[in-house]
Amino acid sequence: MKMKIIGVLLFAGLVIVLAACGEKSQEDVVADLQEKAEKMDGYKAKAEMNMNTGKEQQTFQIDIWHKKEDMYRVGLSNKSDEKGNQIILKNEDGVFVLTPALNKSFKFQSEWPQNSSQPYLYQSLVQDIEKDKEAEFEITDAHYVFKTKTNYQSNNNLPYQEIYLDKKSLQPVQVKVLDKDKNALVEVSFSNFDSKASFQEDDFSMKKNMGGEEAKETTAVNEEEALTVFYPSYMAGAELTEKKEVSTKTGERVILTFEGEKNFTLVQEKANAQTTMASPKEADGEIVNLGFTVGAMSDNTMEWTHNGVDFMLASEELTKEELIEVAKSVQSKEVK
């Protein structure tokens, strides 16, 4: 009986060893990811992104297109602000942030997306996995899980991420971006990933992605609506000292001045749609996801559009991180 028990235990141990030998190592999976990313001519993916970086959770539907070598189209739609739906576009002419319903666009002299982590882009996830030599690696029944550092140049509050990949296809399933306490503040869940996608010749052109018909409708709506003034809930130690209202050719403009530990100015006015496609506004800075919209940030300013209002935040004293935090908090309709 004793020999039978020993035999059973040895057999069970051998089965476990053989099973373990069947799993790929971390190095094997990284090599496979590199090969897959290099061989793939392009892909189309759909995902949902939940962001808990502000007062309320924001949910975006994301439509991602990538064509080798360097063509990207990322459509971001939010049911709470359909007129503010945006497209991040990269083609041979540069990097753009488009708001088609308003016929507005920013053009960036930017290395996006290579210069920062992007939780919804496959190449960015593979790049973060490759670069982090201290990345943690786990294997579940269905997934390979990598826990890596992130590379957000303008935001050090999201230093980690967990990347879930399908074991069979190596396609992304879920990405969780974590704060310093390992709380998930951003979650991206992929519902579809087509690694053999085809594209039309003009799919990445600015003209096709801007459209144009919605702009005329938006103009009519904007003329009837009054400007709602928004205030930041985070003021970096400053207080509102002046509210100035100015009439312009396109409507009302409000200038809010904040003074204290660090001074800043917040300007807002109605986002009037252009009836014809205007030239992109040059932005000497970087693309920043504010949680409810995508903004354009330079050294001293942040510009964005939300709920039919154009915002411009300017300060010679706020750091980049503070500019982002103030901008993220501009969702209150009155000073508390």
Side-chain angles (χ1 to χ4, degrees), residues 276-303:
T276 59
M277 196 168 98
S279 298
K281 182 175 181 179
E282 297 284 342
D284 184 19
E286 55 190 291
I287 299 168
V288 177
N289 195 326
L290 296 176
F292 51 87
T293 191
V294 174
M297 183 174 69
S298 62
D299 289 338
N300 302 313
T301 64
M302 175 82 76
E303 296 182 63

Side-chain angles (χ1 to χ4, degrees), residues 22 24 29 46 84 89-90 99 111-112 146 151 157 179-180 203 212 217 232 243-244 258 268 279 284 286 299 319:
K24 291 187 176 183
V29 177
K46 292 186 181 296
L89 183 71
K90 184 171 187 178
T99 308
E111 296 301 317
W112 185 92
F146 285 89
N151 174 33
N157 296 322
D179 64 11
K180 295 175 182 178
D203 276 347
E217 298 175 8
K243 176 183 177 182
K244 186 176 180 180
F258 295 81
Q268 47 198 293
S279 298
D284 184 19
E286 55 190 291
D299 289 338
T319 65

Side-chain angles (χ1 to χ4, degrees), residues 3 9 11 33-34 39 66 102 119 142 145 160-161 213 223 235 239 254 262 283 285 298 306 313 322 324 336:
M3 292 300 294
L9 291 174
F11 178 78
L33 283 170
Q34 292 171 331
K39 287 185 175 180
H66 168 60
L102 298 175
V145 184
Y160 310 110
Q161 64 186 344
E213 292 304 314
E223 288 171 355
M235 293 175 281
E239 294 183 354
V254 175
K262 295 188 177 182
S298 62
H306 184 53
L313 174 66
E322 288 169 337
I324 293 171
K336 301 295 183 182

Side-chain angles (χ1 to χ4, degrees), residues 30 34 114-116 124-135 148-149 151:
V30 172
Q34 292 171 331
Q114 289 82 6
N115 62 343
S116 180
S124 179
L125 297 174
V126 174
Q127 178 177 281
D128 286 345
I129 290 171
E130 291 174 0
K131 285 187 174 181
D132 190 353
K133 304 305 178 185
E134 298 177 354
T148 79
K149 298 183 183 70
N151 174 33

Side-chain angles (χ1 to χ4, degrees), residues 79-267:
K79 290 182 180 178
S80 66
D81 184 20
E82 293 184 359
K83 296 173 188 174
N85 291 347
Q86 294 172 300
I87 296 171
I88 304 174
L89 183 71
K90 184 171 187 178
N91 57 28
E92 59 275 357
D93 296 321
V95 179
F96 304 87
V97 172
L98 314 177
T99 308
L102 298 175
N103 267 343
K104 291 193 174 183
S105 58
F106 284 93
K107 181 179 180 181
F108 294 82
Q109 301 300 322
S110 173
E111 296 301 317
W112 185 92
Q114 289 82 6
N115 62 343
S116 180
S117 294
Q118 310 293 335
Y120 40 75
L121 293 182
Y122 190 66
Q123 283 74 10
S124 179
L125 297 174
V126 174
Q127 178 177 281
D128 286 345
I129 290 171
E130 291 174 0
K131 285 187 174 181
D132 190 353
K133 304 305 178 185
E134 298 177 354
E136 298 179 27
F137 178 68
E138 294 180 10
I139 301 175
T140 69
D141 290 341
H143 304 128
Y144 294 123
V145 184
F146 285 89
K147 299 179 181 180
T148 79
K149 298 183 183 70
T150 60
N151 174 33
Y152 293 107
Q153 295 182 353
S154 58
N155 190 350
N156 294 324
N157 296 322
L158 298 170
Y160 310 110
Q161 64 186 344
E162 294 179 357
I163 303 167
Y164 294 75
L165 303 168
D166 182 83
K167 285 175 71 173
K168 294 181 179 179
S169 65
L170 295 182
Q171 293 175 358
V173 176
Q174 186 179 43
V175 179
K176 298 179 181 180
V177 186
L178 315 174
D179 64 11
K180 295 175 182 178
D181 298 320
K182 303 295 179 72
N183 299 309
L185 298 189
V186 179
E187 295 189 39
V188 179
S189 298
F190 291 83
S191 58
N192 185 57
F193 193 95
D194 180 4
S195 61
K196 297 181 180 179
S198 59
F199 301 95
Q200 296 182 13
E201 188 174 344
D202 61 347
D203 276 347
F204 297 90
S205 72
M206 187 171 170
K207 181 178 180 181
K208 181 172 182 177
N209 284 284
M210 284 295 283
E213 292 304 314
E214 291 182 68
K216 297 175 184 178
E217 298 175 8
T218 307
T219 304
V221 172
N222 282 343
E223 288 171 355
E224 297 174 4
E225 296 176 353
L227 174 66
T228 299
V229 181
F230 291 84
Y231 299 83
S233 58
Y234 173 74
M235 293 175 281
E239 294 183 354
L240 177 66
T241 58
E242 184 182 16
K243 176 183 177 182
K244 186 176 180 180
E245 298 181 4
V246 180
S247 294
T248 70
K249 291 181 180 180
T250 57
E252 183 183 4
R253 176 182 298 160
V254 175
I255 304 171
L256 304 177
T257 302
F258 295 81
E259 296 179 341
E261 294 179 18
K262 295 188 177 182
N263 303 331
F264 62 89
T265 301
L266 177 63
V267 181

